[in-house]
Every structure is written in structure tokens, then in C-alpha cells.
Amino acid sequence: MANSDNVIRAGLTPKLRDIPNLIATLTYTSLPASEQLVSPSPFPSPAAASSPQTPRTSTLYDPPIPEFSVVQTKLPREGEETHRAIDGPSIAIVTDGAGAVSWGGGQGEGGNLE
């Protein structure tokens, strides 16, 4: 990786370390724990939004930063769910069973986790 003028090295690699500059840029103020908690909220699928009988299987964990959120989806065996498009990159992690992800014009297969 090329050197960059906008990187302050902290000693995690053998490259030049700029400890005084690193220390000058750190902030040592913290917020109360109550302001750090991320409260889960329902993440409705289009089917769940249109029918109250459709079970809600997705939960949104949305920290106070615009670049990152987590949607946890727990489906029953052979379950399926559709989500609205998300503005930005997405990662799907299957922790039990198998899964497939499809999007407008593409599809990815998850491995079997037996």
C-alpha cells in the first residue's frame, strides 16, 4: 500500500510512527453509557408492512453513524423475506443453515453450515 499524507501511524506496522501527532489528535472525552447503546427496532419487509399477519423476522440495529447499520434476519426453515433496497454496500452473513441472496439482476449462494 502506498504512503499517504493523511495517515497517522500508531506503531502497528514497522513504518514511521508519529506518536506526538497521534496523541494530539485523540479525544479523551466519553459519553455516558446510556448514549452509547443501540436499541433494536423492527425492520419491516414490504410483506410485513402490507399485512399485520406476516411475522416480523428482521431487526434493525442502527448506531448513530450514517455509514453503518446491521439488519438481523431470523427465518424459519424454508423461510423467505424481501427487503427494500439499501443505499450502499451490503454484506450477508449466514450463521446457521443455508441461504441465498438475490438482487436486481444478480444472485449469490450461501454455503451449507451443517
Side-chain angles (χ1 to χ4, degrees), residues 48-107:
S50 64
S51 171
Q53 290 79 21
T54 303
R56 297 190 183 267
T57 59
S58 295
T59 303
L60 174 66
Y61 296 87
D62 198 16
I65 53 174
E67 302 90 8
F68 182 79
S69 295
V70 173
V71 176
Q72 177 188 39
T73 302
K74 293 183 176 182
L75 293 172
R77 186 169 290 281
E78 304 301 322
E80 183 177 307
E81 183 159 298
T82 301
H83 288 232
R84 62 177 167 77
I86 296 174
D87 185 24
S90 299
I91 298 172
I93 300 172
V94 178
T95 59
D96 189 23
V101 177
S102 60
W103 57 95
Q107 182 170 337

Side-chain angles (χ1 to χ4, degrees), residues 1 3-4 9-10 12 18 21 33 36 42 46 59 62 72 74 78 86 94 99 104 107 114:
M1 185 173 191
N3 285 334
S4 173
R9 304 207 182 277
L12 302 175
D18 190 355
N21 213 8
Q36 307 282 337
T59 303
D62 198 16
Q72 177 188 39
K74 293 183 176 182
E78 304 301 322
I86 296 174
V94 178
Q107 182 170 337
E114 294 182 275

Side-chain angles (χ1 to χ4, degrees), residues 1-26:
M1 185 173 191
N3 285 334
S4 173
D5 290 339
N6 62 355
V7 173
I8 300 174
R9 304 207 182 277
L12 302 175
T13 67
K15 297 178 182 174
L16 173 69
R17 295 167 199 81
D18 190 355
I19 303 303
N21 213 8
L22 174 67
I23 292 171
T25 60
L26 295 176

